[in-house]
Amino acid sequence: MSSRFQRSVLITGGTAGLGYHCALNVARKHPEYQIVIASRFDSNASAATANKLLGHENVKFLRLDLSSLGNVRSFAQDWEESKFPLIRALVLNAALQLPGDVQYTEDGYEKTFAISHLGHALLLCLLQPHLADTARVVIVSSGTHDPAQKSGMPDAKYHSAEELAHPTADSAKNAGRQRYTSTKLANVLYTYSLHRRFASINEKTTKHWTVNAFDPGLMPGTGLARDANLFERFLWHRILPKALPLLRLMLSPNIHSPEDSGEALAWLTIGPELESKSGLYYEGKAQIKTSKASYDRIKQEDLWEWTVSTLARNEEERKAFCFSDVL
């Protein structure tokens, strides 16, 4: 079905906002790539719209519900059966922000963490055999993970992966936006853990796998606020997108349109000058340091070990998810 394409690029949450504009940029520059945008639904026919706009036929939508580990496994099985070209880039972008009370997935995990981290980690593990010898993973995080940036969001806190997945009676009372910032910290911790594994694989094999994290900045108008109250959604979608220059002047220069941040994410995904870059964090196109907590090796390994132990159904999967079969 996809043999006419040389490589695949998979972007989660690619039907709207940041992910869509990333996909559009990649598809425009690489008509020889199969661009797969994966989300729970494509109500706006984003894949068809992108193809019509570009005059290409290389963007395809596939349904993916990252809140369901069973659905992620089904997605990976479908990918195998569809025989897509090897994956040149995997962009782990999908996320949501739940400002209210704690919510859980059908598998029993806190939903913010489950979608932005756990579902993505399982997707990567299952699709690892389909990565090209030269491949990139890009994990979309957020500057809100760093309390030093004074974003106005609650400070991220990481005690353990287990507590993020299954909040205690006390931590379940934390604000929903604090669960979001903590999950974005987990994204950075996972990036650094994965980078060490990739570096070892690259050293011992002919592969060249890289991973970097990305902060798109504040992007009024995206779907991130879909679970906010009516007034907040009105501001987010109708007022703030029209006031970007003023917001940059008054609040922070790291405020962008989805189009601008999508172009920066596409650059990180396919830019040739980034071929050797790995284990780094980019605010737009600027490489910057991450939070103090994100460099804590103990936290990084706690997240890695908990993730593998949680996702692997048996010893064979555990070895595969630890990349033992590659090494």
Side-chain angles (χ1 to χ4, degrees):
M1 177 181 70
S2 302
S3 58
R4 63 194 177 98
F5 296 112
Q6 297 176 11
R7 288 287 184 267
S8 298
V9 175
L10 172 57
I11 303 168
T12 69
T15 58
L18 175 68
Y20 173 75
H21 289 288
C22 172
L24 199 63
N25 275 274
V26 176
R28 178 183 292 113
K29 294 177 181 178
H30 287 282
E32 77 278 15
Y33 286 177
Q34 173 75 79
I35 313 303
V36 178
I37 53 177
S39 188
R40 288 181 298 168
F41 45 78
D42 187 15
S43 57
N44 295 321
S46 299
T49 300
N51 285 328
K52 183 177 180 180
L53 180 65
L54 298 174
H56 299 168
E57 295 182 357
N58 62 330
V59 182
K60 181 180 180 62
F61 167 74
L62 292 180
R63 184 181 181 278
L64 172 64
D65 182 356
L66 288 160
S67 71
S68 167
L69 298 182
N71 184 264
V72 175
R73 288 183 177 276
S74 295
F75 179 93
Q77 182 62 39
D78 291 343
W79 187 280
E80 172 80 33
E81 294 172 356
S82 297
K83 300 189 182 303
F84 287 107
L86 292 173
I87 297 170
R88 178 66 174 86
L90 177 57
V91 182
L92 306 180
N93 161 67
L96 85 171
Q97 191 179 118
L98 299 169
D101 295 337
V102 61
Q103 297 184 33
Y104 296 91
T105 67
E106 63 184 35
D107 301 303
Y109 302 105
E110 191 281 314
K111 188 174 282 188
T112 312
F113 180 73
I115 290 173
S116 191
H117 170 67
L118 196 59
H120 276 146
L122 179 59
L123 182 67
L124 170 62
C125 289
L126 294 173
L127 293 183
Q128 174 267 314
H130 301 283
L131 294 179
D133 282 351
T134 297
R136 296 184 195 179
V137 176
V138 181
I139 299 176
V140 176
S141 180
S142 168
T144 63
H145 87 277
D146 185 358
Q149 289 204 19
K150 301 187 184 304
S151 65
M153 296 279 278
D155 289 353
K157 297 184 185 301
Y158 187 100
H159 300 296
S160 69
E162 173 61 23
E163 185 176 3
L164 290 182
H166 300 111
T168 64
D170 286 336
S171 62
K173 299 175 184 176
N174 293 342
R177 290 187 173 90
Q178 193 269 336
R179 287 187 283 275
Y180 173 80
T181 61
S182 297
T183 292
K184 289 304 175 182
L185 171 57
N187 290 153
V188 183
L189 292 168
Y190 190 71
T191 297
Y192 293 148
S193 295
L194 189 59
H195 166 66
R196 284 197 296 276
R197 272 82 184 176
F198 278 5
S200 180
I201 289 169
N202 295 342
E203 183 180 353
K204 298 176 182 178
T205 70
T206 59
K207 298 185 184 301
H208 183 68
W209 291 350
T210 64
V211 57
N212 292 297
F214 176 73
D215 170 25
L218 183 67
M219 296 178 296
T222 64
L224 191 63
R226 60 185 175 270
D227 292 293
N229 63 45
L230 185 62
F231 177 69
E232 289 172 332
R233 293 201 305 272
F234 175 76
L235 284 177
W236 186 254
H237 291 289
R238 301 294 184 181
I239 305 300
L240 297 183
K242 300 176 181 179
L244 294 186
L246 180 62
L247 292 173
R248 293 189 190 109
L249 181 65
M250 295 179 61
L251 300 177
S252 166
N254 192 27
I255 300 176
H256 309 283
S257 68
E259 291 85 352
D260 287 344
S261 289
E263 190 275 329
L265 179 56
W267 170 79
L268 190 57
T269 302
I270 58 169
E273 63 269 43
L274 294 164
E275 201 66 68
S276 63
K277 304 293 186 180
S278 186
L280 302 173
Y281 178 91
Y282 289 83
E283 180 183 273
K285 293 185 177 181
Q287 179 190 330
I288 67 170
K289 294 289 188 181
T290 51
S291 70
K292 181 179 179 180
S294 69
Y295 293 108
D296 189 326
R297 184 76 170 259
I298 294 175
K299 288 181 170 64
Q300 294 169 10
E301 290 305 303
D302 170 79
L303 178 63
W304 179 269
E305 290 299 329
W306 180 92
T307 301
V308 171
S309 297
T310 298
L311 295 177
R313 297 186 299 191
N314 50 49
E315 186 58 28
E316 182 180 358
E317 279 199 348
R318 179 177 177 80
K319 291 180 179 178
F321 292 176
C322 287
F323 303 108
S324 299
D325 53 340
V326 185
L327 291 169

